[in-house]
Each structure stands twice: as structure tokens, then as C-alpha cells.
Amino acid sequence: MDLLTKFIDTYPVFLKGMLLTFQLTIVAVFIAIFIGLFFAFLKISRIKILEWIADIYIFLVRGTPLVVQIFIFYFGLTALDISQFWSVILGLAFHNGAYIAEIFRGSIQSIDKGQMEAGRSLGMTAGLAMRRIILPQAFRRAMPPLGNQFIIALKDSSLASFIGMYELFNVATTYGSNEYDYMSYLLIVAVYYLVLVLIFSILVNMIEKRMASSD
Amino acid sequence: MSESYMIKVEKLNKSFGDLHVLKDIDITVKESDVVCLIGASGSGKSTLLRCLNFLELKDSGNIIFEGEKVEKETHDLNKVREKVGMVFQHFYLFPHMTVLENVMEAPLHVKKRPKDQVKKDAQELLNKVGLSDKENVYPSKLSGGQKQRVAIARALAMKPDIMLFDEPTSALDPELVGEVLSTMKELALEGMTMVVVTHEMGFAREVADWAVYMHDGRIVEVGHPEDLFNNPKEQRTKNFLDSVL
């Protein structure tokens, strides 16, 4: 049987897996953006204890494998009884939040200090100037690395298969083992991932273009 | 107010670490005065200007603004800054907003005035600085001179009582200096109180009511620009003027 037939025979199941992969990624990244923004603010707060809290968080996330973090939410924190779906999302969000925090910190600090001063000189509070003047510019600068991070998160969501979620990768390995043909289904799933990444890239590009209207 | 001064500085001192930048500065700016601060770079004139706007906080001394001694402990400095307009050497327009949005930003979000009024005022100000046709353009499309005129309109939009200019033409190509200076001159003629850090001796001579020469964190000499430039009393002033004129 050739690859194409297999592809056509299995696409309804793969599409379901793709939808789950997509959901996991979108929700996780959405939460991760807020986590990232929060820890970015801690890092630039110039209050030592808050900076330390952010440093410890980033150290923990960067220093341990994502799969361990997902397992901690699912198998470790049994008392909290977190579902598979939310364990993956929390693991991914917790993980990506650290990287996104560094992306935001860098982009906020890259904005000329004169922008904040110009805002302050017009009577703005530091908070208002941050919200109206600094953050819109920082977000724009953060878009390319954020886009990268989204794509990493999308591929990392394949780790959900380790706790039994029937997302793309799990669909592929299940077919592979049932039909004793891993290679075909791994190639097929690679195509699904490529398509997803392509869609993501196009979306990020569109957002970047829209934000760049002022150049 | 016993006199009609706008801002009065008494024994102002400011240090950055070990560097003593302002030493016992005394200066009084009356309403409608146009004052030019001149001096070599590093003489403290920009820092003095930034202290008047509380972008830098003094170490000691008094800053009395419109009859009130302003202290960060007792005053909301944001409220004070609303009345003190500032124009920077490098413009610092908000790049993610159009020209019109730049001018509308503070009245809209700081003063929270109604949008249609703010827009009308902003359009009038842009007309005044000769940039009505650039309303919907982003700052990246403007020349330096146009940027600085927008920055002036943006500061004026808050209806300040005093305007501070920190080397407003130093970052401009020579051919663009004139348009900014003439905008400032117009403002001076309308009676705006202005403190201008500048190297434009021609502007100082023509527009300023008096000029202040600063050296090494101190005010060395104060006088009418004509007197100060033609007959400086201090040798240091003379040396400086010889090097720039």
C-alpha cells in the first residue's frame, strides 16, 4: 500500500489529532503570554526580591525537561486532580512562560529610555506610559521571537502523547504500531506538523505586517 | 505670589554618584521670560533643565513653581509635569502613532478630555506649526525638523505654563534648523515662558530676554544676551564665546 492511500485512509483521525494539537498549543501559548508578561515585569521591577523570584522561575523551567514538567502536573500533583488536557496546557504554559518572559524583558528594555521620558514629561504616570507608549512598541519588537516560540510550543505539544492524549504524534505512533509500519505514519505526521507550522508562520507574518504599518 | 515669577530655583544641587553636576544653582524665571542656557557640554545645563521638569530629582535646594515649593513627598509630580512642556534633542515622538495621535495622546489619556475637542485642538496646533498635511503620517516619514515641530505641538497640547527645550536643534541637519527656530520664536512672541538649552547664539541674541552661561555645574554669568555676548564680565564666559562665535 502506498503512502498516499494511507494518508487518505487515515485523515479523519489525523485531523482530529491536529485539532487537539492546535487547541493545546493555542490555549497554552495564550496563558504563557500572561505568565511571560508578569515575570518580565518582575525582572524589570528593580526590586531585588521580585527579580529573584523571576530568576528562580526561569532557572527552574530552563533547567528541567518539559516532559518532566508535564508529568509533574499530571502524575505529581495528583491531589489537584488536573486532567490530561490541562496538565499539558499548564506544563506548556509554565514552560513557555519563562522563555516568553525573557523575550518581553528584552523587547521592553530595547525601547529607547527617551520614550518613557517623553511620556512622563507629558504628565503620564509610569504605568500609563508603560501601557500606552512602551508596551505597544515592545510587543511589535517581540513578534519575531514570539513567533518562533509559538512554533516551538506547537512541536513540543507532541509530548502530550506521553500522558495519553490523542494528539497528532500519538495518532501516528498508534497507527504505526498497529500496522507495523512506523515509517509511513511518521512521514505522514511530519506533513501535518509542517502544515500547522506553515499556517502559524503565515499568521505571525500577517500580524507583524499589520503592526509594522508605522514604518 | 510676591513677585510674578513662574519658577524659582534656590541653591539647587545635584550629583550623579561622585559627579557633582549642579552646584548651588539660583535662577528665577518670570512669566513670559525667554531664557537661554548656554555653556559647553557637561556644564550641567541639560541636567538643570531636567530638574525643572522633575525628570531628575534634586539632591538639595528648592524648586518653587508658580509660588509653590515642589517636593516629591508632598506633590504629585505628574500633575506638575502636566504644566511643564518639554522638547527633547532627539524628539522622542511615539513611533507607533500618527502625527495627530502623538499630539492627541496626552490630552486624551492624561487629562481625559473629550475626543472631539482634543482632535480639534490638535489640528489647530498642527496648523500652527505648519504640519496640517502630515496629520495621518507616521513619524518615520518625517524630516528631523518636522519631527521637532510635531514634538513642540505635542507638548503645547497639554497647555503648559512653561516650555523647556533641551537642545532642540542639535540633532538637525543645518538646513532644517531654521524652521524649528522660527516656530520657537513665534511661541516666544505669543508670550510663552521658555527655558532653552541651545548652541544657537543667533537665536539667543534675537529672542532671549536674558542668557545664562553655565560652566562646571555653576552659573557663571547672567545677562541680557547682547551684553553677555558682547561684553562678558567673566574670563570663562569670554573664552567660551570665543570658541563658539
Side-chain angles (χ1 to χ4, degrees):
Chain A
M1 208 168 40
D2 68 324
L3 211 53
L4 191 65
T5 339
K6 285 185 179 170
F7 184 89
I8 291 164
D9 285 349
T10 58
Y11 85 88
V13 185
F14 268 104
L15 280 186
K16 260 191 205 159
M18 186 158 111
L19 186 67
L20 183 57
T21 292
F22 195 70
Q23 282 175 330
L24 289 170
T25 310
I26 289 286
V27 180
V29 162
F30 186 75
I31 298 172
I33 284 176
F34 288 96
I35 296 176
L37 203 53
F38 175 74
F39 282 101
F41 280 135
L42 293 194
K43 284 238 19 163
I44 59 172
S45 65
R46 289 202 218 112
I47 300 169
K48 273 277 163 282
I49 183 136
L50 298 183
E51 284 178 40
W52 284 336
I53 291 171
D55 283 340
I56 290 168
Y57 163 65
I58 291 167
F59 173 72
L60 287 178
V61 168
R62 279 207 289 219
T64 55
L66 173 56
V67 69
V68 173
Q69 293 161 15
I70 293 174
F71 271 44
I72 284 175
F73 279 106
Y74 189 57
F75 294 114
L77 299 171
T78 41
L80 296 180
D81 195 24
I82 306 170
S83 70
Q84 288 167 308
F85 183 76
W86 283 102
S87 295
V88 175
I89 286 186
L90 290 176
L92 274 175
F94 174 76
H95 186 81
N96 283 283
Y99 291 95
I100 292 177
E102 288 289 51
I103 291 172
F104 279 149
R105 182 189 59 80
S107 68
I108 289 170
Q109 287 178 338
S110 76
I111 305 298
D112 194 319
K113 285 190 175 55
Q115 289 288 316
M116 175 58 87
E117 290 197 341
R120 299 305 301 272
S121 79
L122 291 164
M124 290 185 177
T125 60
L128 184 65
M130 179 56 76
R131 194 158 57 79
R132 296 283 315 167
I133 310 300
I134 307 298
L135 283 184
Q137 298 182 56
F139 274 129
R140 210 175 101 191
R141 256 179 226 187
M143 271 323 282
L146 270 184
N148 268 336
Q149 196 60 42
F150 292 176
I151 287 166
I152 292 170
L154 177 80
K155 293 185 292 186
D156 282 351
S157 72
S158 58
L159 292 172
S161 63
F162 283 92
I163 60 170
M165 290 236 79
Y166 214 53
E167 46 65 72
L168 268 182
F169 184 61
N170 206 351
V171 172
T173 51
T174 305
Y175 273 118
S177 67
N178 286 348
E179 303 190 10
Y180 306 105
D181 179 14
Y182 273 104
M183 191 55 188
S184 301
Y185 291 103
L186 290 175
L187 288 177
I188 287 172
V189 81
V191 171
Y192 280 101
Y193 275 114
L194 284 169
V195 169
L196 266 182
V197 168
L198 195 65
I199 293 171
F200 260 58
S201 309
I202 291 170
L203 274 176
V204 170
N205 255 329
M206 275 166 51
I207 298 172
E208 259 181 70
K209 281 230 176 72
R210 265 187 60 183
M211 286 179 143
S213 61
S214 55
D215 284 335
Chain B
M1 276 194 274
S2 50
E3 322 155 49
S4 72
Y5 59 76
M6 178 74 67
I7 201 160
K8 184 169 186 167
V9 175
E10 299 172 334
K11 293 252 169 283
L12 181 73
N13 279 278
K14 173 74 186 175
S15 297
F16 295 114
D18 292 336
L19 199 64
H20 199 170
V21 191
L22 294 178
K23 300 166 185 163
D24 290 332
I25 298 288
D26 286 296
I27 188 172
T28 304
V29 180
K30 292 213 264 327
E31 213 177 308
S32 293
D33 269 358
V34 176
V35 182
C36 281
L37 298 180
I38 59 171
S41 56
S43 58
K45 51 198 194 318
S46 283
T47 306
L48 173 56
L49 203 69
R50 293 163 59 81
C51 282
L52 296 182
N53 195 11
F54 307 97
L55 281 177
E56 301 290 352
L57 296 176
K58 65 189 167 70
D59 294 336
S60 66
N62 294 324
I63 298 174
I64 302 159
F65 179 65
E66 296 184 333
E68 259 190 82
K69 195 173 137 189
V70 179
E71 298 285 348
K72 72 170 190 296
E73 290 80 11
T74 54
H75 285 73
D76 181 356
L77 296 181
N78 299 313
K79 285 281 166 219
V80 181
R81 284 196 201 97
E82 286 183 27
K83 294 187 213 160
V84 184
M86 178 100 174
V87 173
F88 300 87
Q89 180 179 358
H90 296 289
F91 332 123
Y92 298 134
L93 294 183
F94 307 135
H96 55 302
M97 298 178 190
T98 62
V99 164
L100 187 64
E101 286 166 347
N102 263 276
V103 181
M104 290 172 64
E105 177 64 20
L108 210 54
H109 294 280
V110 177
K111 283 195 170 164
K112 297 194 164 42
R113 292 176 49 216
K115 192 171 178 179
D116 47 341
Q117 272 184 33
V118 169
K119 188 173 176 185
K120 202 169 139 266
D121 288 356
Q123 285 169 328
E124 269 170 33
L125 281 169
L126 285 174
N127 187 31
K128 183 171 158 172
V129 299
L131 290 170
S132 287
D133 53 329
K134 301 288 183 192
E135 258 183 31
N136 299 312
V137 165
Y138 283 96
S140 57
K141 296 274 189 292
L142 300 179
S143 73
Q146 291 170 330
K147 281 182 193 169
Q148 196 60 296
R149 285 186 283 152
V150 173
I152 292 172
R154 181 179 70 178
L156 289 175
M158 287 299 280
K159 300 187 167 54
D161 295 337
I162 180 171
M163 286 280 283
L164 310 177
F165 295 83
D166 190 4
E167 302 198 22
T169 58
S170 298
L172 299 178
D173 292 335
E175 74 271 21
L176 302 176
V177 169
E179 59 187 77
V180 172
L181 289 182
S182 67
T183 303
M184 289 168 62
K185 199 169 136 188
E186 205 178 305
L187 206 56
L189 289 175
E190 286 171 16
M192 176 59 80
T193 312
M194 294 163 60
V195 182
V196 186
V197 171
T198 189
H199 298 291
E200 294 293 331
M201 297 302 156
F203 175 80
R205 201 184 282 262
E206 194 181 348
V207 181
D209 296 302
W210 43 286
V212 176
Y213 171 63
M214 286 182 71
H215 179 77
D216 194 23
R218 289 181 198 282
I219 291 179
V220 176
E221 195 167 344
V222 177
H224 189 273
E226 216 55 58
D227 301 334
L228 191 81
F229 293 163
N230 296 338
N231 307 300
K233 293 186 190 71
E234 301 280 335
Q235 187 57 40
R236 277 176 301 183
T237 317
K238 196 170 178 320
N239 292 345
F240 172 74
L241 290 169
D242 284 343
S243 69
V244 295
L245 289 178

